[in-house]
Amino acid sequence: MTLEDLRVFLAVCKLGNLSAVARDLSCSQSAVSQHVKRLEAEIGLSLVERRPRGVILTDAGRLLRDAVRAGLGQIDTAVRQTRDLAEGSAGEVRVTTGATTVRHFMTGGIHTFRQRYPRVRLEFRTRVSSRDCLAAITADEADLAFVTIGAPVPGVEVRQVVELPWSLAVPADDPLAGATHLELAGLEGIPHIRLPENSTARKQLDTRLAEHGITAPTAASAADWDTVVLLVELGVGRAVVPTMPGWNPARHPDLRLVPIPALRPLAAGWAYRRWDALSPQARTFADTITADLGGADPAR
């Protein structure tokens, strides 16, 4: 059993097709198959079940996949840290998150972190959804993900940092603009601009409205929170949105956010494989962002 055997096996788990793995790794399908067969011979169990259109994991394959993901992630982290030592570098932190999260959640924390640790490299990889961010964590493409917290993902730990209350975003001249809050019944039948279809926030909002028997037609949809708010300011319609940390009404004179206290807030925070497996730089970065947002230490 070699590290290459295990890496190829993880690629098979991800793609579910030996030919696709061979193309991705620039090798033959026979070579991919040999890596898997070598693991199966050593373990004494079948790891994949071959089908006409690909392969699926057996119970043994799923157990090995989960263990290999965790183990290779730690090895890769150690290799990066060793290279940093050899190169005299202060290390690297790889973060994945949504398109607008850095602006709304991390600006102050990043500034503080850069002042304290100017030699640490920060790499940000934008994803279109929390699901994609979590996939990057399981694939060891990132150390940390800042996500909307949803259903548990095997092999990934999450720590809540903030709660985002829901509000109805309306133009400043809207009849509802002067309201101190909005009852759920007030949402019934109001066409609104929707958050991205594949976002965890939209799925949770739809679930919560359905729980209360509220139906709200779609007026439009947008790719991210900032675009939704801009469309409201332009008078395209209203929108139910999570209220971002540090919301400053003075910067949006043509917009009002009317709180909807009856809707359970949206939870957001860090995701990672294991806190104690993160590099010191990654843990410090997460702590710094968390402190700036007024949250608790994510290790506690």
Side-chain angles (χ1 to χ4, degrees):
M1 182 184 300
T2 67
L3 284 177
E4 186 63 17
D5 291 336
L6 297 174
R7 292 188 189 283
V8 172
F9 174 67
L10 278 189
V12 171
C13 295
K14 179 179 180 181
L15 298 178
N17 185 285
L18 300 185
S19 297
V21 174
R23 289 193 299 270
D24 196 45
L25 300 180
S26 300
C27 64
S28 68
Q29 181 174 333
S30 175
V32 173
S33 182
Q34 286 303 314
H35 283 291
V36 176
K37 288 180 179 178
R38 191 155 46 235
L39 288 173
E40 291 178 325
E42 185 158 344
I43 293 172
L45 291 170
S46 295
L47 299 175
V48 298
E49 181 181 331
R50 289 155 178 83
R51 299 284 182 87
R53 295 186 178 181
V55 298
I56 61 172
L57 295 178
T58 63
D59 289 343
R62 285 188 287 272
L63 286 172
L64 183 62
R65 175 200 60 192
D66 295 343
V68 171
R69 277 177 178 171
L72 284 183
Q74 294 181 51
I75 291 172
D76 289 340
T77 297
V79 169
R80 289 198 306 271
Q81 292 174 2
T82 302
R83 288 174 178 166
D84 289 338
L85 289 174
E87 297 169 1
S89 169
E92 175 186 53
V93 180
R94 303 171 302 162
V95 182
T96 182
T97 191
T100 62
T101 303
V102 173
R103 179 184 305 113
H104 294 292
F105 292 84
M106 297 187 181
T107 304
I110 290 173
H111 179 70
T112 300
F113 184 84
R114 295 299 298 163
Q115 285 186 316
R116 294 175 182 171
Y117 309 99
R119 294 175 58 238
V120 175
R121 299 189 303 273
L122 293 176
E123 177 184 324
F124 292 91
R125 298 186 180 186
T126 299
R127 296 292 192 273
V128 298
S129 68
S130 292
R131 180 180 59 187
D132 290 344
C133 291
L134 295 171
I137 292 293
T138 60
D140 194 37
E141 296 172 356
D143 305 306
L144 293 161
F146 200 93
V147 297
T148 301
I149 297 176
V153 174
V156 175
E157 298 178 3
V158 295
R159 299 292 175 93
Q160 181 176 319
V161 174
V162 293
E163 284 192 339
L164 309 177
W166 292 97
S167 297
L168 182 68
V170 298
D173 59 357
D174 190 281
L176 293 174
T180 58
H181 69 280
L182 186 67
E183 300 292 342
L184 280 174
L187 293 175
E188 180 65 40
I190 294 180
H192 63 273
I193 302 166
R194 305 289 297 274
L195 295 164
E197 184 175 359
N198 61 347
S199 70
T200 303
R202 173 166 169 174
K203 291 177 182 176
Q204 293 194 17
L205 175 61
D206 289 347
T207 297
R208 290 168 194 182
L209 291 177
E211 288 173 350
H212 293 279
I214 303 296
T215 57
T218 299
S221 60
D224 55 54
W225 189 91
D226 283 332
T227 305
V228 170
V229 169
L230 176 60
L231 291 175
V232 174
E233 288 182 294
L234 293 173
V236 173
R238 299 159 168 169
V240 180
V241 296
T243 306
M244 295 299 183
W247 168 256
N248 187 346
R251 296 179 182 174
H252 299 269
D254 298 323
L255 183 75
R256 298 290 185 271
L257 293 186
V258 183
I260 311 172
L263 279 179
R264 190 168 70 257
L266 199 65
W270 292 113
Y272 39 81
R273 282 186 171 180
R274 278 198 4 247
W275 179 258
D276 58 5
L278 290 172
S279 68
Q281 297 92 336
R283 292 197 299 267
T284 300
F285 179 80
D287 285 345
T288 304
I289 300 299
T290 299
D292 182 70
L293 292 171
D297 182 340
R300 299 181 181 178

